[in-house]
Amino acid sequence: MKKYVKPMMLSFQSVFQYRFNIVLYMVFGLIPLVALILLWHSLFESQEKIQGYTLEMMITYVIIAKLIEIVLLPEMHWSISEEIQSGDLSKYLTKPISYSGYWFSQNLGNKLVQVLMASIPLIPIIYLNRDYFLLPQGKYVGLFLISLIGALILYFTIYFLISLFSFYFVEISAFFFTVDIVLELFAGSLIPLEFLPEPLATLTQLLPFAYLIHFPVNIYLGNMMVNEIIVGIIIQLSWSVFFLLIISFCWKRGLNKYESVGA
């Protein structure tokens, strides 16, 4: 395990070297959140509930959803793509370390730092909306944290899988941007998935993306029964195992195509 702790510690150091840039990224990244909060305040002026959500539930939803996205959304696919395209992947193939394990460790270290960084701009936003921000019920806190771990693993498997497409395509940035946009919508980062028109709302329940953000936030809000939560966590893990199997297949096929001078 020590060989996987080292990348996590290096990730800590790397993030703190550019901590001011990270804070600026967090602050400007939360501007859309402020706009969403103002929008929902305006929409709830003439009604108490929309799609079963009160104003307090909606404000809490968008804040917690944005926090989860900041903390869990991986960014390593850009670096993995660059290593595959440049041929730098070769330096990992001769070492007694799992390439996916290395990046999971580094991603985990990066996200632990972002928990601290994200709190800097979020605290004043929560304070200004303190009359509308709901705290979780005690019995749901543990299940909420477990769902976050499940979402972290699921997020990683999805993004590690799409990064392996770099074995097959030279220019993949447009694909990455498209995935980011699709996941932001279908994961429930912008709005609850119940607000999507049919048949999209139903379709999202059949896809793994709803279990990235929408599922944990609804646990936080207490919108789900305990048995529903347990089933949801099992679904999270099942999707993660499914993607790991695909990753194993694509990794082996990709290495057969890979050349040390680049893909």
Side-chain angles (χ1 to χ4, degrees), residues 78-213:
W78 295 99
S79 299
I80 293 175
S81 177
E82 183 178 348
E83 288 183 343
I84 292 174
Q85 299 292 346
S86 66
D88 287 344
L89 173 63
S90 301
K91 64 184 180 183
Y92 299 95
L93 301 181
T94 58
K95 297 178 181 179
I97 186 172
S98 165
Y99 188 63
S100 59
Y102 166 82
W103 277 108
F104 183 80
S105 175
Q106 188 175 80
N107 181 65
L108 182 60
N110 189 30
K111 295 310 172 184
L112 290 176
V113 175
Q114 287 188 354
V115 171
L116 302 176
M117 295 296 187
S119 64
I120 296 174
L122 270 177
I123 288 176
I125 291 177
I126 294 175
Y127 178 78
L128 292 173
N129 292 274
R130 59 190 180 279
D131 294 333
Y132 306 98
F133 186 78
L134 302 174
L135 297 176
Q137 299 179 35
K139 64 179 181 179
Y140 289 114
V141 172
L143 292 171
F144 173 66
L145 295 176
I146 293 173
S147 73
L148 289 183
I149 296 173
L152 171 68
I153 297 171
L154 183 56
Y155 248 132
F156 176 82
T157 56
I158 291 174
Y159 272 87
F160 190 82
L161 176 60
I162 68 170
S163 70
L164 296 185
F165 280 53
S166 300
F167 280 121
Y168 308 97
F169 303 98
V170 175
E171 177 51 52
I172 200 170
S173 58
F175 175 66
F176 285 168
F177 281 121
T178 301
V179 170
D180 288 340
I181 294 171
V182 170
L183 284 188
E184 187 172 30
L185 176 62
F186 287 166
S189 173
L190 297 175
I191 57 174
L193 298 180
E194 293 88 349
F195 285 74
L196 294 176
E198 292 291 350
L200 282 180
T202 301
L203 178 62
T204 55
Q205 303 304 316
L206 303 176
L207 298 174
F209 313 132
Y211 296 91
L212 298 172
I213 293 178

Side-chain angles (χ1 to χ4, degrees), residues 214-228:
H214 185 263
F215 173 63
V217 176
N218 274 281
I219 295 176
Y220 180 97
L221 292 173
N223 290 341
M224 306 179 70
M225 303 295 290
V226 172
N227 61 323
E228 293 176 320

